[in-house]
Amino acid sequence: MRSSAPKMQQPLIDIHSLSFRYRRSPSPVLKDISLQIDEGEFVVLMGPNEGGKSTFCFTLNGLIPHLMKGDFKGSVRVCDMETHENSVKDFFPHVGLVFQDFESQLFSTSVELEIAFGPENAGISRDEIGHRIQWALEMTGIEALRRRQPGTLSGGQKQLLAIASALSLQPKVLCFDEPTTDLDPKNKRRIFSITEKLAGKEILIIAEHETEEALKADRILLMRGGRIVADGPPAVILRNIPLLEQCSVMPLQVTESFNKLGAGELPLTVEEALDLWQKHGLQFRRRAREILAAADQTRVRPVDRLRIEVEDVSFSYDAGMKALDGVSLQVKDGEFIAILGQNGSGKTTLAKLLNGLLKPGQGNVRVGGRSTTNLSAGVLAREVGYVFQNPDHQIFKETILEEVLFGPQNMGIAPEQARQQAHDALETVGLWERRLEDPFTLPKGLRQKVAVASVLATRPSIIVMDEPTTGLDYGELKQMMGLIKRLNDAGHTIIIITHCIWIAAQYAHRIILIKAGKIVADGPAREIFADESLLARADVRAPQIVSFSNRLGLTMLSVEEFLQCAQPVINLDADPDNADWLKVLRKQREEGK
């Protein structure tokens, strides 16, 4: 976190009594918001989906009220200009905005032309544009991609390109709407460290669900129901666990763990947690290793039936770039596998090979003993369902119900049965009541649910999901992962690609690490996460609770596991008549721990 910049007489962003209702919305999306942001501040905006975060971002450069129509009230003054009095063009050089749907901003034929587009339209000299292209490439770590076509990039690389394009204008205000949804942990840290490399006068606003990276901010704004319900430093906001949960924001894992253990002080980092662990004299239960062994045994199921075989597969795109290089693996019935690695490492390419969307250049992929080279995508879809990283690559119908019905109907399933399967899928993801809505009017997280439902409706035995939680808030994310776990418990083989590493640790049975098109590790989740140097080879960082427990000599994969293994804090100064205190103490004695 940067030190606070000197205050200006006039704040760079000055908002008073802002309210906004979209034309067809029954109620306001923003409600009576007032705040000021000074130059040099780094602000993280957090809260549930449909809470108003994206709409708030659209007000900063005049998209609201000029291009997104509705009932606008109040004042939004940015760089000494009122947004309702000045055009979007007026704000173009001063406010850089990266949309949640970042791919919609990309249209050029090369990475460097994309980055040059803004400065060219701002009338900046050719030499200066060249300097800015190089600077933006270095800031986002995509120097090696400058000659590539945007369409050949991975989802995360496209997201970095959209950010680089905004940076190249060097505006006074940078606003990124969920800029790390498709980024690996290394690149997430890079984006949240951008303020350290700027001149110190720019405002950076990031709408985000990630809490650990928000520690770098000067302020956190919590939004719920179109209002700002909290505004303060991360050290205060991130310790208020009840408020975070009310706003569908995931608490930091070590903070949540110590809170549930009953510790009076709450850490925010692994180092703080280690200090408090020693200070309170905390210990693990004597049966901790047995608890973890039992958990691992539960994850291991009879998986003798081979479902997918990948043998020495290599794949290159038209540009000659080798995306996969000699990959071999087997997938057995009922497994839950997470594929992890940096952006552009080959994860999505591998996933698309598993259901025939891509055919191997070398080697062989077999599903149910049959080579995918000889099977159509339609036949493979009955066996292997695939949820795209970007739901908009999958959705095309005018209503949610039509979208989810398409798969069963296309497979020739009788109309009545097809509708029943669509009904069951939409009920499963919680969208049946919204079945007649246009899916493209939904936020990205809900469009992701539509994409999942459209695959579930075909009832495949193997489900491959590329970033299934992208765009979801913490509450929605838990619902989605609960759904995926239930599908796995019911017998479905699950393969997920995710940059949300705590999800992989908590839910997956097996972890595959990929780097530069090669598998660098493949094994049980606890074994992989116990070796943080191995994770680092694939640019993967262990979740807080995993890293903390590793430092204490045991590898725990979730907050729940940690709480099962750690002894709660007993406050000896507490009133002995306190029933809760006695209950905890009695339980410990009964268990002989």
Side-chain angles (χ1 to χ4, degrees):
M1 183 174 71
R2 298 178 300 168
S3 60
S4 298
K7 297 245 179 184
M8 299 173 60
Q9 289 185 346
Q10 178 68 35
L12 207 55
I13 296 177
D14 195 2
I15 300 174
H16 291 282
S17 304
L18 168 64
S19 294
F20 182 75
R21 180 178 61 84
Y22 289 103
R23 273 183 174 172
R24 297 181 182 179
S25 176
S27 59
V29 180
L30 300 178
K31 303 172 184 176
D32 196 27
I33 291 176
S34 295
L35 71 124
Q36 296 179 336
I37 303 176
D38 294 315
E39 74 171 21
E41 284 199 279
F42 174 17
V43 178
V44 173
L45 187 63
M46 311 186 85
N49 282 337
E50 300 188 284
K53 301 189 303 297
S54 294
T55 302
F56 175 82
C57 294
F58 295 149
T59 67
L60 298 179
N61 70 342
L63 285 175
I64 291 175
H66 298 297
L67 300 183
M68 299 178 179
K69 300 297 185 178
D71 183 14
F72 178 94
K73 296 179 181 178
S75 169
V76 178
R77 193 169 186 82
V78 180
C79 298
D80 207 29
M81 294 184 290
E82 287 282 351
T83 57
H84 72 277
E85 294 176 354
N86 294 271
S87 69
V88 176
K89 180 182 177 181
D90 293 331
F91 287 96
F92 167 67
H94 304 289
V95 181
L97 178 60
V98 175
F99 297 156
Q100 185 182 29
D101 182 12
F102 53 89
E103 288 195 51
S104 66
Q105 293 179 256
L106 306 178
F107 57 87
S108 294
T109 56
S110 76
V111 165
E112 62 181 353
L113 286 177
E114 189 71 51
I115 297 173
F117 178 80
E120 284 177 342
N121 280 272
I124 293 170
S125 70
R126 188 179 184 87
D127 287 345
E128 177 62 18
I129 289 173
H131 291 311
R132 291 196 184 190
I133 290 173
Q134 184 60 34
W135 175 76
L137 288 168
E138 291 173 358
M139 289 281 280
T140 51
I142 57 173
E143 301 100 310
L145 305 178
R146 68 182 302 152
R147 308 293 182 194
R148 292 270 299 275
Q149 293 182 6
T152 68
L153 303 180
S154 71
Q157 290 169 336
K158 290 176 182 176
Q159 194 161 32
L160 290 169
L161 174 55
I163 293 169
S165 299
L167 287 171
S168 67
L169 272 167
Q170 298 185 355
K172 294 291 290 181
V173 177
L174 286 160
C175 183
F176 301 157
D177 191 358
E178 296 193 22
T180 67
T181 53
D182 289 37
L183 299 187
D184 59 51
K186 180 179 179 180
N187 279 315
K188 286 181 181 179
R189 295 194 298 275
R190 182 191 300 275
I191 297 309
F192 274 85
S193 298
I194 278 178
T195 53
E196 298 168 8
K197 303 175 184 179
L198 295 174
K201 295 184 178 181
E202 301 87 347
I203 285 175
L204 177 60
I205 300 171
I206 294 182
E208 186 57 80
H209 293 304
E210 292 285 335
T211 44
E212 188 171 357
E213 302 303 338
L215 284 168
K216 297 178 181 292
D218 298 309
R219 291 163 67 183
I220 291 178
L221 303 180
L222 281 183
M223 287 191 74
R224 186 179 71 235
R227 300 181 186 276
I228 293 176
V229 297
D231 177 356
V236 174
I237 300 293
L238 295 182
R239 286 187 169 98
N240 192 338
I241 292 177
L243 181 59
L244 293 176
E245 292 177 340
Q246 290 169 20
C247 295
S248 292
V249 174
M250 179 181 176
L252 292 163
Q253 287 186 317
V254 292
T255 313
E256 180 182 12
S257 297
F258 273 69
N259 182 61
K260 290 183 176 178
L261 282 178
E265 299 174 82
L266 300 181
L268 296 174
T269 66
V270 170
E271 294 301 325
E272 289 179 8
L274 288 168
D275 289 342
L276 288 174
W277 181 269
Q278 294 177 349
K279 176 181 177 180
H280 287 288
L282 294 174
Q283 297 179 353
F284 289 123
R285 300 179 189 274
R286 289 200 297 268
R287 292 184 58 251
R289 293 186 186 276
E290 296 174 34
I291 292 170
L292 298 180
D296 287 340
Q297 192 60 39
T298 301
R299 291 184 179 214
V300 177
R301 301 173 186 160
V303 287
D304 295 332
R305 184 184 174 197
L306 193 60
R307 301 304 305 275
I308 299 176
E309 298 168 89
V310 178
E311 294 181 344
D312 197 25
V313 166
S314 295
F315 183 88
S316 297
Y317 290 97
D318 292 339
M321 171 191 61
K322 186 169 278 191
L324 291 177
D325 187 7
V327 169
S328 296
L329 62 94
Q330 295 182 338
V331 177
K332 295 184 178 180
D333 203 25
E335 286 195 283
F336 193 143
I337 299 171
I339 303 175
L340 309 179
Q342 64 189 142
N343 295 122
S345 60
K347 303 184 301 298
T348 295
T349 301
L350 174 58
K352 288 182 176 179
L353 285 162
L354 300 182
N355 78 333
L357 288 173
L358 296 175
K359 306 293 184 182
Q362 297 176 358
N364 197 13
V365 178
R366 287 191 292 272
V367 175
R370 298 180 294 175
S371 174
T372 59
T373 303
N374 302 321
L375 297 173
S376 69
V379 171
L380 281 167
R382 298 175 184 270
E383 290 271 339
V384 184
Y386 185 85
V387 179
F388 284 76
Q389 182 176 15
N390 185 340
D392 296 340
H393 292 172
Q394 195 164 346
I395 295 170
F396 62 97
K397 290 291 188 178
E398 293 184 0
T399 70
I400 293 171
L401 180 58
E402 288 177 307
E403 183 67 43
V404 179
L405 274 171
F406 177 80
Q409 289 174 339
N410 200 44
M411 290 179 172
I413 295 172
E416 186 174 338
Q417 180 60 30
R419 187 174 177 83
Q420 183 61 51
Q421 290 181 202
H423 172 274
D424 293 345
L426 286 170
E427 282 282 9
T428 300
V429 300
L431 288 176
W432 176 250
E433 297 300 324
R434 304 182 70 166
R435 63 191 179 278
L436 299 181
E437 293 185 30
D438 182 344
F440 290 102
T441 65
L442 303 176
K444 187 176 182 180
L446 293 184
R447 298 201 302 276
Q448 189 73 24
K449 286 187 175 184
V450 174
V452 171
S454 68
V455 170
L456 294 182
T458 64
R459 298 185 176 175
S461 58
I462 304 168
I463 303 175
V464 181
M465 299 182 175
D466 195 349
E467 298 288 355
T469 61
T470 182
L472 301 181
D473 63 36
Y474 185 47
E476 293 169 339
L477 187 150
K478 289 192 294 183
Q479 291 175 4
M480 178 64 76
M481 291 313 302
L483 162 63
I484 294 171
K485 184 179 185 302
R486 289 194 300 274
L487 291 169
N488 183 239
D489 291 342
H492 290 273
T493 301
I494 302 293
I495 302 170
I496 66 168
I497 295 170
T498 184
H499 291 305
C500 197
I501 308 302
W502 73 267
I503 282 177
Q506 182 166 330
Y507 291 95
H509 309 153
R510 173 181 164 196
I511 304 295
I512 296 174
L513 297 178
I514 293 184
K515 183 170 185 178
K518 293 180 179 288
I519 292 178
V520 298
D522 181 354
R526 198 176 310 279
E527 179 181 310
I528 297 295
F529 278 105
D531 189 346
E532 293 190 45
S533 62
L534 179 62
L535 295 173
R537 284 177 54 195
D539 288 320
V540 172
R541 184 172 64 169
Q544 265 196 338
I545 203 65
V546 174
S547 184
F548 176 53
S549 60
N550 279 342
R551 297 276 291 272
L552 296 174
L554 290 174
T555 300
M556 296 168 195
L557 300 176
S558 66
V559 170
E560 289 72 18
E561 276 194 355
F562 181 82
L563 294 173
Q564 289 171 1
C565 294
Q567 292 185 1
V569 175
I570 300 298
N571 184 359
L572 296 179
D573 295 326
D575 181 356
D577 294 328
N578 184 294
D580 291 337
W581 182 86
L582 288 173
K583 185 177 180 181
V584 172
L585 185 60
R586 188 179 298 114
K587 183 177 180 181
Q588 283 189 307
R589 289 175 175 171
E590 288 173 354
E591 293 176 350
K593 301 177 180 64

